[in-house]
Amino acid sequence: MLQAETARLVALVAAMCPSTHLTDATADAWHPLLADLDAADVRTAVTRLGRERSRIAASDIRAEVRAIREERLARDPLPLPDSDPDDPGRYRAELLALVAEIASGRRVRRPPAAPGGPPSHLAGSRRDPRARSLRVPCPWCGAAAGRPCTVPRLGTPLRRAPAHQARLLAAGLAEPGPGREEETRWNR
């Protein structure tokens, strides 16, 4: 928010909530507290708060903006990043950028990935076992077809293996060998 937007916001709060004691210095005091927030989100938050309360503080506005952003994240499912999961730095950066876009409300929804196709960074590789294994769901971690296998309970993509052994078996890319029967049984 700009200083002028903060001044207009203070005027709006003064008009909506006459019982809130606001002075000429209020805009100067509120600006550092609200400067990092989006002006449209702040205006929406003040409107919501004005319907419920007779007094509004800067901390109330910040909390309401946080609630607005969390509602957007809950409504819009997070798509799978296009980055290679084996590059955790890039994957995490893209994931954080997607979260920020969704929370801001400025993000246009990306169409969901085709249910059987691998992500774009794996689509051209016919020999890559990861790309071929993504055609089937993983019976071990529950990853849907087209989604990478993840570490159970953490949700982070696998880095040291193309997929769980159970998924490779389901895709016909591996066969149970000596000593693997028990692993296969546990992976189902």
Side-chain angles (χ1 to χ4, degrees):
M1 283 183 51
L2 302 173
Q3 183 73 32
E5 292 171 325
T6 306
R8 284 193 296 270
L9 175 75
V10 170
L12 177 64
V13 171
M16 291 173 90
C17 306
S19 62
T20 302
H21 180 68
L22 302 173
T23 65
D24 293 335
T26 303
D28 293 332
W30 280 18
H31 183 68
L33 301 173
L34 304 175
D36 62 321
L37 301 177
D38 181 63
D41 287 347
V42 171
R43 190 172 180 84
T44 302
V46 168
T47 304
R48 279 186 182 184
L49 291 168
R51 290 182 185 136
E52 301 171 358
R53 302 175 184 195
S54 61
R55 293 179 183 262
I56 298 175
S59 60
D60 298 331
I61 295 170
R62 284 197 74 84
E64 192 65 26
V65 168
R66 185 180 309 115
I68 290 168
R69 292 175 64 89
E70 287 174 358
E71 288 169 11
R72 287 182 188 137
L73 287 170
R75 268 194 322 260
D76 193 3
L78 190 63
L80 185 67
D82 285 330
S83 299
D84 185 357
D86 286 336
D87 183 359
R90 177 175 273 163
Y91 189 88
R92 184 175 189 273
E94 185 178 348
L95 192 61
L96 291 174
L98 287 169
V99 168
E101 288 177 28
I102 292 170
S104 71
R106 291 184 293 261
R107 182 172 186 283
V108 177
R109 287 186 182 202
R110 181 189 305 171
S120 60
H121 64 278
L122 296 175
S125 177
R126 291 180 181 229
R127 296 182 142 202
D128 185 8
R130 174 171 296 158
R132 293 179 60 204
S133 68
L134 288 176
R135 295 180 185 154
V136 298
C138 181
W140 175 247
C141 67
R147 302 284 184 167
C149 287
T150 59
V151 177
R153 287 185 253 166
L154 295 178
T156 56
L158 292 183
R159 289 188 292 193
R160 295 187 180 152
H164 288 115
Q165 182 68 20
R167 189 177 210 169
L168 294 172
L169 286 169
L173 299 171
E175 294 182 19
R180 288 197 160 168
E181 291 86 8
E182 184 175 321
E183 178 185 343
T184 304
R185 186 177 29 166
W186 287 104
N187 287 346
R188 291 187 180 181

